[in-house]
Amino acid sequence: MYNHQLDTFIKVADSGSFNKASEELYVSPNAVMKQIKLLENSLGFDLFVRTHRGVQLTPAGESLYRDAKYLIQYAKDSIVRAEKMLAEPKHVLRIGTSLTTPVQFLVSLWPQIRQHNPALKFELVSFENTPENAREIMNHFGRNIDVVAGIYSDNILSERRCSALKLYDTPLCAAVPLHHRLAANDEIAIEDLFDEKVMLIKRGYMSAFDEVRDDLAENYPRIQIEDFSFFDVNVFNKCENDNAVMIGMKEWKNVHPLLKIIPISWKHTIPIGILHSNTPSNDVKEFLKIISQIYEA
């Protein structure tokens, strides 16, 4: 399913030494170095910088290291799910879930979904929320994950070659640390954000956030915008540590225990929906049909 030289690569990267990696792998240092050399030759670039103290990852090696663990786990999970399909009944829908793609509202709808189709079952598949993982999953819906619930925009759907069933528009809100001066508010006025550092996802990620950016830059120059590249746990931690304000949504109220989500008195919203393949399976089509009926009722 994957090149097992990646296992050796990860072991060397974690230990920082060919010798230490060989001890943990129960092979000779020469065998470890040979595997790394073969992997580097096949890739066409160096993974490590050799020093008298051991080895360090090159920038390319660091990039591969971040993705390799996911690729290995992805392959292992694929085999496990394939084996389970031999014993389990069909019609199992795999719903992806991560820090910023919560599935609570789908779980709450499951009794109604079962009433419509008792044969349809579901399995929650957790994944680490990184740009690489998000791109891989959305580009290949139907492999390990069939659907993901979350925010989206037309440019995301186009770039990731997938589709979405829109459920509703959710207001964009402010995430603030519990010790922030605005944390006691039930609602925040835009003027409350004057002279505050407001964390906003980089331009081009989703059009709804770009509209917020343009509005603030044009009409509220006293608000300081700080860019970040992706919604992950590090961003939520940074918001809390920096005592900043981050633009998010109410559905993320349980993402970080030290942040509070507060509505903002503006009209900025973002769509939430079920993201899926452009060519969904029959089970996914049935699921989307049922969800549509529930929301229309």
Side-chain angles (χ1 to χ4, degrees), residues 29-45:
N30 285 338
V32 171
M33 288 187 282
K34 182 177 180 180
Q35 288 189 51
I36 297 301
K37 190 62 178 177
L38 288 172
L39 181 59
E40 290 178 326
N41 289 340
S42 67
L43 293 172
F45 52 78

Side-chain angles (χ1 to χ4, degrees), residues 173-176 248-254 259-263:
C173 302
V176 302
M249 60 179 189
K250 63 182 181 181
E251 286 76 6
W252 292 346
K253 64 181 181 180
N254 295 320
L259 296 178
K260 178 182 178 181
I261 306 296
I262 306 174

Side-chain angles (χ1 to χ4, degrees), residues 26-210:
Y26 301 101
V27 296
S28 69
N30 285 338
V32 171
M33 288 187 282
K34 182 177 180 180
Q35 288 189 51
I36 297 301
K37 190 62 178 177
L38 288 172
L39 181 59
E40 290 178 326
N41 289 340
S42 67
L43 293 172
F45 52 78
D46 291 337
L47 297 171
F48 295 100
V49 176
R50 280 72 168 174
T51 72
H52 66 281
R53 294 182 178 180
V55 294
Q56 294 180 336
L57 288 167
T58 63
E62 290 178 356
S63 177
L64 182 65
Y65 179 81
R66 289 193 297 269
D67 293 338
K69 287 189 174 182
Y70 168 73
L71 292 171
I72 291 171
Q73 192 59 47
Y74 195 89
K76 291 179 179 178
D77 289 346
S78 296
I79 295 173
V80 170
R81 277 188 276 276
E83 290 174 342
K84 288 176 66 176
M85 290 300 293
L86 295 174
E88 293 181 354
K90 296 182 179 180
H91 312 297
V92 176
L93 195 73
R94 299 162 299 179
I95 301 175
T97 177
S98 71
L99 183 72
T100 56
T101 56
V103 295
Q104 287 90 338
F105 76 98
L106 283 181
V107 173
S108 67
L109 294 176
W110 205 252
Q112 298 177 64
I113 296 172
R114 291 295 304 274
Q115 287 181 359
H116 284 80
N117 187 342
L120 189 61
K121 302 182 182 298
F122 79 100
E123 176 183 351
L124 298 183
V125 181
S126 62
F127 63 93
E128 183 181 358
N129 207 48
T130 67
E132 297 81 11
N133 289 0
R135 189 177 303 109
E136 173 70 17
I137 290 166
M138 294 171 70
N139 280 341
H140 301 101
F141 274 126
R143 287 190 179 177
N144 265 12
I145 292 175
D146 296 309
V147 298
V148 169
I151 57 176
Y152 68 93
S153 64
D154 290 341
N155 66 300
I156 285 286
L157 299 180
S158 175
E159 292 169 8
R160 308 291 170 81
R161 301 189 297 277
C162 60
S163 300
L165 169 66
K166 181 178 178 179
L167 301 179
Y168 58 90
D169 289 307
T170 190
L172 287 174
C173 302
V176 302
L178 297 181
H179 55 84
H180 194 279
R181 67 178 183 86
L182 297 175
N185 292 28
D186 293 326
E187 186 175 71
I188 294 175
I190 298 182
E191 291 77 13
D192 292 331
L193 299 176
F194 286 178
D195 303 319
E196 287 287 342
K197 180 167 65 176
V198 174
M199 299 173 61
L200 191 60
I201 191 79
K202 65 181 180 180
R203 181 176 292 280
Y205 183 69
M206 290 187 185
S207 57
F209 293 104
D210 291 345

